[in-house]
Amino acid sequence: MLHEILFFFFAAGCVAGAINLLAQKHPINSALSLVVVMASLAGLFLLMGAEFVGAIQVIVYAGAIMVLFVFVIMLLNAGVEEHTKSSKIAIVLGVPAAAIVATLITWILLHNEQSFTKVSIGELHGTGKEIGMLLFGPYLLPFEVTSVLVLIGIMGAVVLARKEDV
């Protein structure tokens, strides 16, 4: 029952973050909404038992890639900064979502105290070497296509942000 509640919670967070990403006018707000989507996907990966992929999702995508996106957006829009008011969607969805997350985490911690045990690195299923062999073996083409798509996205942002009078 708890697994299904968490699945629907993270799925709803993913969809809400994606909708907010499209609804925002300021690119920084959109990038932050994409962080919510990435974090929700990491939660879904954790629910499926893919702890390593969930951790990589948070570290690489929600961390490094999104920091790169925010830096690119900030560097390309170096002109007059547009001040926006706080997002109404973020207030309407964010405050209840934060309250639900806090309540859910508290409930899980209070009711499943015995199930939380320390996990050492050797106990995880699928080692980093096995995942690396899969990533650079049969999944090399999707991995490289993804990296090329990210590069094309960054180049497109540079072209779109180019000033006309230069």
Side-chain angles (χ1 to χ4, degrees):
M1 179 69 182
L2 179 63
H3 193 269
E4 288 140 358
I5 291 172
L6 287 174
F7 173 80
F8 286 115
F9 175 76
F10 285 124
C14 189
V15 170
I19 290 171
N20 193 32
L21 183 142
L22 296 174
Q24 294 297 317
K25 292 182 179 177
H26 199 276
I28 295 291
N29 293 338
S30 294
L32 294 177
S33 295
L34 191 56
V35 170
V36 172
V37 172
M38 297 294 179
S40 297
L41 285 175
L44 290 174
F45 283 130
L46 291 175
L47 286 176
M48 291 188 290
E51 292 88 5
F52 183 78
V53 177
I56 293 298
Q57 179 78 20
V58 169
I59 294 168
V60 174
Y61 289 105
I65 299 288
M66 290 313 301
V67 168
L68 176 68
F69 280 1
V70 169
F71 279 145
V72 168
I73 290 169
M74 289 172 64
L75 289 174
L76 294 178
N77 293 329
V80 177
E81 183 177 340
E82 178 184 342
H83 293 283
T84 60
K85 296 179 181 177
S86 62
S87 171
K88 292 179 182 176
I89 294 174
I91 292 172
V92 170
L93 295 177
V95 172
I100 290 171
V101 167
T103 304
L104 197 58
I105 289 173
T106 304
W107 186 81
I108 290 169
L109 290 175
L110 291 177
H111 289 87
N112 295 322
E113 197 169 303
Q114 292 91 14
S115 64
F116 294 112
T117 58
K118 291 184 179 180
V119 177
S120 65
I121 293 175
E123 295 177 4
L124 294 176
H125 301 289
T127 63
K129 182 180 178 182
E130 292 171 355
I131 293 173
M133 294 300 286
L134 287 173
L135 189 60
F136 292 105
Y139 298 110
L140 180 63
L141 182 62
F143 179 74
E144 291 298 327
V145 168
T146 302
S147 64
V148 169
L149 286 175
V150 170
L151 179 64
I152 290 171
I154 292 172
M155 290 170 57
V158 169
V159 170
L160 289 175
R162 184 180 59 190
K163 295 179 180 174
E164 296 294 329
D165 56 344
V166 176

